[in-house]
Amino acid sequence: MAAQNSQGITTLLEAEKEAAKTVQRARQYRVQRLKDARTEAAKEIEALKTQKNAEFQEFEAMHTGSSDQSFARVTTETEQKLQEVQAAVQKNHLLVTERLLTAITKVEPKIHRNFRHVEQS
């Protein structure tokens, strides 16, 4: 009977060692899968980052160019308007000066429309 108990204990010990090896292999497998998942996620993140960076560069190039073009167009329009205003000043400055002098020198006194005459007793 002692031989059977000894053999049963040996079998249990071997089964325990086998179970420990299985658990160890499962842990190693899980750790390896986590490492692989992290590596794959890092690759996907880097690919997405590269794609978004390229999209941003393209967007920036499109809008930077248009703002430079807009700036040039606005500058040209401003110069044209300034020339038009200066031409109008040159054409009309004598007439405007004459009208101002006339308005200042020819004063026609009038009673203001809101004036109320107050009777004095």
Side-chain angles (χ1 to χ4, degrees):
M1 181 124 148
Q4 278 183 337
N5 284 341
S6 176
Q7 188 178 10
I9 291 174
T10 306
T11 304
L12 283 174
L13 288 173
E14 287 176 8
E16 189 177 325
K17 285 180 184 178
E18 189 64 33
K21 287 180 184 177
T22 303
V23 168
Q24 183 63 26
R25 283 193 303 260
R27 285 183 182 152
Q28 288 175 347
Y29 177 73
R30 185 187 67 177
V31 168
Q32 186 60 42
R33 286 196 45 175
L34 283 173
K35 287 180 183 177
D36 292 345
R38 284 185 186 137
T39 304
E40 187 66 29
K43 287 179 185 176
E44 288 179 16
I45 288 170
E46 193 60 36
L48 184 61
K49 192 184 294 185
T50 303
Q51 176 190 352
K52 292 297 180 181
N53 197 11
E55 289 175 8
F56 174 73
Q57 295 297 330
E58 181 180 329
F59 176 83
E60 188 176 44
M62 285 175 50
H63 289 80
T64 300
S66 67
S67 72
D68 289 343
Q69 292 170 353
S70 297
F71 181 73
R73 182 175 45 83
V74 167
T75 303
T76 304
E77 289 176 6
T78 303
E79 290 297 325
Q80 288 175 346
K81 293 288 183 184
L82 282 173
Q83 288 175 359
E84 289 173 11
V85 168
Q86 289 173 348
V89 167
Q90 290 296 323
K91 179 180 175 186
N92 297 319
H93 82 282
L94 292 175
L95 179 63
V96 170
T97 306
E98 185 180 315
R99 285 186 182 173
L100 281 172
L101 286 173
T102 303
I104 292 170
T105 57
K106 288 188 177 182
V107 178
E108 296 177 18
K110 294 181 189 176
I111 296 176
H112 195 274
R113 66 177 183 233
N114 292 333
F115 176 76
R116 287 192 219 173
H117 183 67
V118 178
E119 299 276 335
Q120 294 182 355
S121 17

